[in-house]
Amino acid sequence: MSASANAFRAAALSLSIALVGGFAVAPRPAAAGAFDDPAEREARWGAIAEAIFKDRKRVDGEGVVGLEAPQRALDAALVPMTLTLSDKTPIKAVYLVIDDNPAPLAAHFEFGPAADPSRIDLRVRVNVYTNVHAVAEGADGTLYETVKFVKASGGCSAPMGMSDEEAMKGIGEMRLKLAQGEPGEPQRATLMIRHPNFNGMQMNQVTRDYTPARYIRTISVSSGDAKVFDLSTDISLASNPVIGFSYRPQGEVKVSVLDSADARWDKSFPAPTAHLGD
């Protein structure tokens, strides 16, 4: 496991310990967040941010980092999120935190030289009405934050609507869809990964037992020999993840996925023809 992935796991563990210390000990009603006042939400975010970022100062991210999320989710197990980052401020990483999820730290993207981190699309599980924070880390270490309130409940325990055996079929299969790009311009791509991302909270509808957790931990994407991004994630990522991103083509796209059972899948995709010879 990479140093950044180890750091993510350490932060996630630290975060869970911090939450047990005061903010998420007792089970909460499905719509608990709907009744929290701003002070309660801010106190909870303060504890989470301290666990992740320690004593590092965070500033208003307006104009630097944006977060698009539905005010009310149609499906709490497949909530679309879009992170937008300004090209005027060099950004080396971005965090997505779902404050009231059992594992709030949902995703940490670290960008490489082949990245164009202007927009990232992904789908997550949302367990209760909650604030969702996006925190971008500038090249100089400055942390820029923004927040959205999302109304959703039950996303972490929602069954997939199929047997566990069916959900596991084709695990690790990957596809990469490329949008038509112009030579010399960043390429837009959509990565699709077959993985149930069981989080340990879903009940098997046949046996009535809880399905053991098995979820993706890291996704690494490169183009040629240059890194696009490394993603460290946890149980909040939706089943069969779909991630949209932009990058600067430098050769074939290579994807590596590692899950919580230490299973690893690697796949290479041809370079987009529109960029060959750039």
Side-chain angles (χ1 to χ4, degrees), residues 95-148:
Y95 299 77
L96 181 67
V97 182
I98 306 170
D99 291 15
D100 288 291
N101 267 15
L105 183 50
H108 177 209
F109 288 87
E110 289 188 296
F111 303 112
D116 171 38
S118 56
R119 173 175 175 153
I120 298 173
D121 299 296
L122 69 164
R123 302 183 303 187
V124 297
R125 298 178 171 118
V126 176
N127 206 45
V128 297
Y129 287 28
T130 182
N131 276 341
V132 179
H133 284 84
V135 180
E137 182 176 6
D140 63 356
T142 302
L143 298 174
Y144 304 89
E145 78 171 50
T146 191
V147 61
K148 291 286 185 183

Side-chain angles (χ1 to χ4, degrees), residues 205-261:
Q205 299 302 292
V206 177
T207 67
R208 310 304 292 174
D209 294 325
Y210 286 98
T211 301
R214 184 171 180 179
Y215 52 90
I216 291 174
R217 283 182 170 169
T218 63
I219 301 171
S220 297
V221 179
S222 61
S223 179
D225 294 326
K227 180 171 79 174
V228 178
F229 66 78
D230 289 331
L231 166 62
S232 298
T233 184
D234 213 299
I235 64 173
S236 292
L237 194 64
S239 299
N240 298 319
V242 177
I243 300 172
F245 63 95
S246 296
Y247 72 104
R248 300 186 182 279
Q250 300 184 30
E252 67 177 1
V253 176
K254 291 171 282 189
V255 182
S256 181
V257 177
L258 180 71
D259 77 0
S260 59

